[in-house]
Short mmCIF file of all heavy atoms in Angstrom, two decimals:
data_model
loop_
_atom_site.label_atom_id
_atom_site.label_comp_id
_atom_site.label_asym_id
_atom_site.label_seq_id
_atom_site.Cartn_x
_atom_site.Cartn_y
_atom_site.Cartn_z
N LEU Y 42 -22.28 -38.28 -32.62
CA LEU Y 42 -23.12 -39.48 -32.66
C LEU Y 42 -22.30 -40.74 -32.40
O LEU Y 42 -22.77 -41.67 -31.74
CB LEU Y 42 -23.84 -39.58 -34.01
CG LEU Y 42 -24.89 -38.50 -34.25
CD1 LEU Y 42 -25.40 -38.57 -35.68
CD2 LEU Y 42 -26.02 -38.60 -33.26
N ALA Y 43 -21.05 -40.77 -32.90
CA ALA Y 43 -20.18 -41.91 -32.62
C ALA Y 43 -19.82 -41.97 -31.13
O ALA Y 43 -19.83 -43.04 -30.52
CB ALA Y 43 -18.93 -41.84 -33.48
N LEU Y 44 -19.52 -40.79 -30.56
CA LEU Y 44 -19.18 -40.75 -29.13
C LEU Y 44 -20.38 -41.08 -28.26
O LEU Y 44 -20.22 -41.57 -27.13
CB LEU Y 44 -18.65 -39.37 -28.75
CG LEU Y 44 -17.17 -39.12 -29.02
CD1 LEU Y 44 -16.82 -37.66 -28.75
CD2 LEU Y 44 -16.32 -40.04 -28.17
N SER Y 45 -21.59 -40.84 -28.75
CA SER Y 45 -22.77 -41.13 -27.94
C SER Y 45 -22.95 -42.62 -27.69
O SER Y 45 -23.68 -43.02 -26.78
CB SER Y 45 -24.02 -40.54 -28.58
OG SER Y 45 -24.36 -41.23 -29.75
N LYS Y 46 -22.29 -43.45 -28.49
CA LYS Y 46 -22.34 -44.90 -28.28
C LYS Y 46 -21.33 -45.35 -27.23
O LYS Y 46 -21.39 -46.46 -26.73
CB LYS Y 46 -22.06 -45.65 -29.59
CG LYS Y 46 -23.02 -45.30 -30.71
CD LYS Y 46 -24.43 -45.69 -30.35
CE LYS Y 46 -25.37 -45.37 -31.50
NZ LYS Y 46 -26.75 -45.41 -31.10
N ALA Y 47 -20.38 -44.48 -26.91
CA ALA Y 47 -19.33 -44.80 -25.93
C ALA Y 47 -19.84 -44.50 -24.52
O ALA Y 47 -20.79 -43.74 -24.34
CB ALA Y 47 -18.08 -43.98 -26.23
N PRO Y 48 -19.18 -45.07 -23.51
CA PRO Y 48 -19.55 -44.75 -22.13
C PRO Y 48 -19.37 -43.25 -21.84
O PRO Y 48 -18.54 -42.58 -22.47
CB PRO Y 48 -18.57 -45.57 -21.29
CG PRO Y 48 -18.09 -46.66 -22.19
CD PRO Y 48 -18.13 -46.08 -23.58
N LEU Y 49 -20.14 -42.74 -20.90
CA LEU Y 49 -20.09 -41.32 -20.56
C LEU Y 49 -18.68 -40.88 -20.17
O LEU Y 49 -18.24 -39.80 -20.55
CB LEU Y 49 -21.08 -41.01 -19.44
CG LEU Y 49 -21.14 -39.55 -18.98
CD1 LEU Y 49 -21.57 -38.64 -20.14
CD2 LEU Y 49 -22.09 -39.41 -17.81
N ARG Y 50 -17.95 -41.70 -19.47
CA ARG Y 50 -16.60 -41.31 -19.05
C ARG Y 50 -15.68 -41.09 -20.25
O ARG Y 50 -14.78 -40.27 -20.19
CB ARG Y 50 -16.02 -42.33 -18.07
CG ARG Y 50 -15.70 -43.67 -18.65
CD ARG Y 50 -15.09 -44.60 -17.59
NE ARG Y 50 -14.74 -45.86 -18.16
CZ ARG Y 50 -15.56 -46.91 -18.24
NH1 ARG Y 50 -16.78 -46.82 -17.75
NH2 ARG Y 50 -15.16 -48.03 -18.80
N TRP Y 51 -15.91 -41.80 -21.36
CA TRP Y 51 -15.11 -41.60 -22.56
C TRP Y 51 -15.47 -40.27 -23.22
O TRP Y 51 -14.60 -39.58 -23.74
CB TRP Y 51 -15.31 -42.73 -23.55
CG TRP Y 51 -14.72 -44.05 -23.11
CD1 TRP Y 51 -14.21 -44.36 -21.88
CD2 TRP Y 51 -14.59 -45.22 -23.90
NE1 TRP Y 51 -13.79 -45.67 -21.86
CE2 TRP Y 51 -14.01 -46.21 -23.10
CE3 TRP Y 51 -14.93 -45.52 -25.21
CZ2 TRP Y 51 -13.74 -47.48 -23.57
CZ3 TRP Y 51 -14.67 -46.79 -25.68
CH2 TRP Y 51 -14.08 -47.76 -24.86
N ARG Y 52 -16.76 -39.93 -23.21
CA ARG Y 52 -17.17 -38.65 -23.78
C ARG Y 52 -16.59 -37.50 -22.97
O ARG Y 52 -16.12 -36.52 -23.52
CB ARG Y 52 -18.70 -38.55 -23.81
CG ARG Y 52 -19.30 -39.43 -24.88
CD ARG Y 52 -20.80 -39.35 -24.86
NE ARG Y 52 -21.27 -40.45 -24.02
CZ ARG Y 52 -22.51 -40.64 -23.67
NH1 ARG Y 52 -23.44 -39.78 -24.04
NH2 ARG Y 52 -22.86 -41.67 -22.94
N ILE Y 53 -16.61 -37.65 -21.65
CA ILE Y 53 -16.04 -36.62 -20.78
C ILE Y 53 -14.54 -36.48 -21.05
O ILE Y 53 -14.01 -35.38 -21.16
CB ILE Y 53 -16.32 -36.95 -19.30
CG1 ILE Y 53 -17.82 -36.81 -19.03
CG2 ILE Y 53 -15.50 -36.07 -18.38
CD1 ILE Y 53 -18.25 -37.36 -17.69
N ALA Y 54 -13.84 -37.59 -21.17
CA ALA Y 54 -12.39 -37.55 -21.45
C ALA Y 54 -12.11 -36.90 -22.80
O ALA Y 54 -11.15 -36.14 -22.93
CB ALA Y 54 -11.82 -38.97 -21.42
N ALA Y 55 -12.95 -37.16 -23.79
CA ALA Y 55 -12.76 -36.54 -25.11
C ALA Y 55 -12.94 -35.04 -25.03
O ALA Y 55 -12.15 -34.27 -25.61
CB ALA Y 55 -13.73 -37.15 -26.12
N VAL Y 56 -13.95 -34.58 -24.33
CA VAL Y 56 -14.21 -33.13 -24.21
C VAL Y 56 -13.09 -32.46 -23.42
O VAL Y 56 -12.69 -31.33 -23.73
CB VAL Y 56 -15.59 -32.87 -23.58
CG1 VAL Y 56 -15.79 -31.40 -23.28
CG2 VAL Y 56 -16.69 -33.37 -24.51
N ARG Y 57 -12.55 -33.12 -22.43
CA ARG Y 57 -11.48 -32.52 -21.62
C ARG Y 57 -10.19 -32.30 -22.40
O ARG Y 57 -9.33 -31.55 -21.97
CB ARG Y 57 -11.20 -33.40 -20.40
CG ARG Y 57 -12.25 -33.24 -19.35
CD ARG Y 57 -11.85 -33.92 -18.07
NE ARG Y 57 -12.84 -33.61 -17.05
CZ ARG Y 57 -13.18 -34.42 -16.07
NH1 ARG Y 57 -12.58 -35.60 -15.97
NH2 ARG Y 57 -14.08 -34.07 -15.20
N GLN Y 58 -10.05 -32.94 -23.54
CA GLN Y 58 -8.83 -32.78 -24.33
C GLN Y 58 -8.67 -31.37 -24.89
O GLN Y 58 -7.57 -30.99 -25.29
CB GLN Y 58 -8.80 -33.79 -25.48
CG GLN Y 58 -8.77 -35.23 -25.03
CD GLN Y 58 -7.59 -35.53 -24.12
OE1 GLN Y 58 -6.46 -35.20 -24.42
NE2 GLN Y 58 -7.88 -36.15 -22.99
N VAL Y 59 -9.73 -30.59 -24.93
CA VAL Y 59 -9.65 -29.25 -25.53
C VAL Y 59 -9.59 -28.15 -24.48
O VAL Y 59 -9.76 -26.97 -24.80
CB VAL Y 59 -10.83 -29.01 -26.50
CG1 VAL Y 59 -10.80 -30.01 -27.62
CG2 VAL Y 59 -12.15 -29.03 -25.77
N ARG Y 60 -9.33 -28.49 -23.22
CA ARG Y 60 -9.36 -27.48 -22.16
C ARG Y 60 -8.27 -26.42 -22.28
O ARG Y 60 -8.35 -25.39 -21.63
CB ARG Y 60 -9.34 -28.14 -20.80
CG ARG Y 60 -8.08 -28.89 -20.49
CD ARG Y 60 -8.14 -29.49 -19.08
NE ARG Y 60 -7.07 -30.44 -18.92
CZ ARG Y 60 -7.23 -31.74 -18.77
NH1 ARG Y 60 -8.43 -32.24 -18.73
NH2 ARG Y 60 -6.19 -32.53 -18.66
N HIS Y 61 -7.27 -26.63 -23.10
CA HIS Y 61 -6.20 -25.64 -23.27
C HIS Y 61 -6.58 -24.55 -24.26
O HIS Y 61 -5.91 -23.52 -24.33
CB HIS Y 61 -4.92 -26.34 -23.75
CG HIS Y 61 -5.05 -26.95 -25.11
ND1 HIS Y 61 -5.69 -28.16 -25.32
CD2 HIS Y 61 -4.67 -26.50 -26.33
CE1 HIS Y 61 -5.68 -28.43 -26.62
NE2 HIS Y 61 -5.07 -27.44 -27.25
N LEU Y 62 -7.65 -24.71 -25.02
CA LEU Y 62 -8.07 -23.73 -26.01
C LEU Y 62 -8.78 -22.56 -25.33
O LEU Y 62 -9.39 -22.72 -24.28
CB LEU Y 62 -9.03 -24.37 -27.02
CG LEU Y 62 -8.46 -25.48 -27.90
CD1 LEU Y 62 -9.57 -26.11 -28.73
CD2 LEU Y 62 -7.36 -24.95 -28.79
N PRO Y 63 -8.73 -21.37 -25.94
CA PRO Y 63 -9.48 -20.24 -25.39
C PRO Y 63 -10.99 -20.43 -25.62
O PRO Y 63 -11.39 -21.11 -26.57
CB PRO Y 63 -8.94 -19.04 -26.17
CG PRO Y 63 -8.42 -19.61 -27.43
CD PRO Y 63 -7.93 -20.99 -27.12
N TYR Y 64 -11.78 -19.81 -24.79
CA TYR Y 64 -13.23 -19.95 -24.92
C TYR Y 64 -13.75 -19.25 -26.18
O TYR Y 64 -13.23 -18.21 -26.59
CB TYR Y 64 -13.95 -19.35 -23.71
CG TYR Y 64 -13.99 -20.27 -22.52
CD1 TYR Y 64 -13.21 -20.01 -21.39
CD2 TYR Y 64 -14.80 -21.39 -22.52
CE1 TYR Y 64 -13.24 -20.86 -20.30
CE2 TYR Y 64 -14.84 -22.24 -21.43
CZ TYR Y 64 -14.06 -21.97 -20.33
OH TYR Y 64 -14.10 -22.81 -19.25
N ALA Y 65 -14.79 -19.80 -26.73
CA ALA Y 65 -15.50 -19.17 -27.85
C ALA Y 65 -16.33 -18.02 -27.29
O ALA Y 65 -16.63 -17.97 -26.09
CB ALA Y 65 -16.41 -20.19 -28.54
N THR Y 66 -16.73 -17.12 -28.16
CA THR Y 66 -17.62 -16.05 -27.73
C THR Y 66 -19.05 -16.59 -27.66
O THR Y 66 -19.37 -17.58 -28.33
CB THR Y 66 -17.58 -14.88 -28.72
OG1 THR Y 66 -18.05 -15.34 -30.00
CG2 THR Y 66 -16.17 -14.31 -28.87
N PRO Y 67 -19.90 -15.97 -26.88
CA PRO Y 67 -21.30 -16.43 -26.83
C PRO Y 67 -21.98 -16.39 -28.20
O PRO Y 67 -22.78 -17.27 -28.52
CB PRO Y 67 -21.97 -15.47 -25.85
CG PRO Y 67 -20.86 -14.98 -24.98
CD PRO Y 67 -19.66 -14.93 -25.87
N GLU Y 68 -21.65 -15.41 -29.00
CA GLU Y 68 -22.24 -15.31 -30.34
C GLU Y 68 -21.80 -16.48 -31.21
O GLU Y 68 -22.60 -17.07 -31.95
CB GLU Y 68 -21.86 -13.99 -31.01
CG GLU Y 68 -22.41 -12.76 -30.32
CD GLU Y 68 -21.60 -12.35 -29.09
OE1 GLU Y 68 -20.42 -12.77 -28.95
OE2 GLU Y 68 -22.16 -11.63 -28.24
N ARG Y 69 -20.52 -16.83 -31.15
CA ARG Y 69 -20.00 -17.96 -31.93
C ARG Y 69 -20.63 -19.26 -31.45
O ARG Y 69 -20.98 -20.12 -32.24
CB ARG Y 69 -18.47 -18.01 -31.82
CG ARG Y 69 -17.80 -19.26 -32.41
CD ARG Y 69 -18.15 -19.51 -33.88
NE ARG Y 69 -17.73 -18.47 -34.75
CZ ARG Y 69 -16.64 -18.46 -35.50
NH1 ARG Y 69 -15.83 -19.48 -35.46
NH2 ARG Y 69 -16.38 -17.45 -36.27
N LEU Y 70 -20.79 -19.40 -30.14
CA LEU Y 70 -21.40 -20.61 -29.60
C LEU Y 70 -22.84 -20.75 -30.10
O LEU Y 70 -23.25 -21.84 -30.51
CB LEU Y 70 -21.36 -20.58 -28.07
CG LEU Y 70 -21.83 -21.87 -27.39
CD1 LEU Y 70 -20.83 -22.99 -27.66
CD2 LEU Y 70 -21.98 -21.64 -25.90
N ASP Y 71 -23.60 -19.66 -30.08
CA ASP Y 71 -24.97 -19.71 -30.60
C ASP Y 71 -24.99 -20.09 -32.07
O ASP Y 71 -25.84 -20.87 -32.51
CB ASP Y 71 -25.67 -18.36 -30.41
CG ASP Y 71 -26.12 -18.13 -28.99
OD1 ASP Y 71 -26.31 -19.12 -28.25
OD2 ASP Y 71 -26.27 -16.95 -28.61
N ALA Y 72 -24.07 -19.53 -32.85
CA ALA Y 72 -24.01 -19.84 -34.28
C ALA Y 72 -23.66 -21.31 -34.51
O ALA Y 72 -24.24 -21.96 -35.39
CB ALA Y 72 -22.99 -18.93 -34.97
N LEU Y 73 -22.73 -21.85 -33.72
CA LEU Y 73 -22.37 -23.26 -33.87
C LEU Y 73 -23.51 -24.17 -33.43
O LEU Y 73 -23.74 -25.22 -34.04
CB LEU Y 73 -21.10 -23.56 -33.07
CG LEU Y 73 -19.81 -22.96 -33.62
CD1 LEU Y 73 -18.68 -23.11 -32.62
CD2 LEU Y 73 -19.45 -23.59 -34.95
N TYR Y 74 -24.23 -23.79 -32.40
CA TYR Y 74 -25.39 -24.57 -31.96
C TYR Y 74 -26.46 -24.60 -33.05
O TYR Y 74 -27.03 -25.65 -33.35
CB TYR Y 74 -25.95 -24.00 -30.66
CG TYR Y 74 -27.14 -24.75 -30.14
CD1 TYR Y 74 -26.97 -25.91 -29.40
CD2 TYR Y 74 -28.43 -24.30 -30.39
CE1 TYR Y 74 -28.07 -26.62 -28.92
CE2 TYR Y 74 -29.53 -25.00 -29.92
CZ TYR Y 74 -29.34 -26.15 -29.18
OH TYR Y 74 -30.43 -26.85 -28.73
N THR Y 75 -26.71 -23.44 -33.65
CA THR Y 75 -27.69 -23.37 -34.73
C THR Y 75 -27.24 -24.22 -35.92
O THR Y 75 -28.04 -24.92 -36.53
CB THR Y 75 -27.89 -21.91 -35.17
OG1 THR Y 75 -28.33 -21.15 -34.04
CG2 THR Y 75 -28.91 -21.79 -36.29
#
Side-chain angles (χ1 to χ4, degrees):
L42 293 172
L44 277 173
S45 70
K46 303 297 182 194
L49 180 61
R50 69 179 182 271
W51 291 10
R52 287 178 266 173
I53 292 169
V56 172
R57 283 190 174 148
Q58 297 303 311
V59 299
R60 65 179 168 246
H61 65 281
L62 296 174
Y64 279 108
T66 63
E68 296 80 19
R69 172 55 62 99
L70 187 68
D71 284 336
L73 290 170
Y74 180 82
T75 302

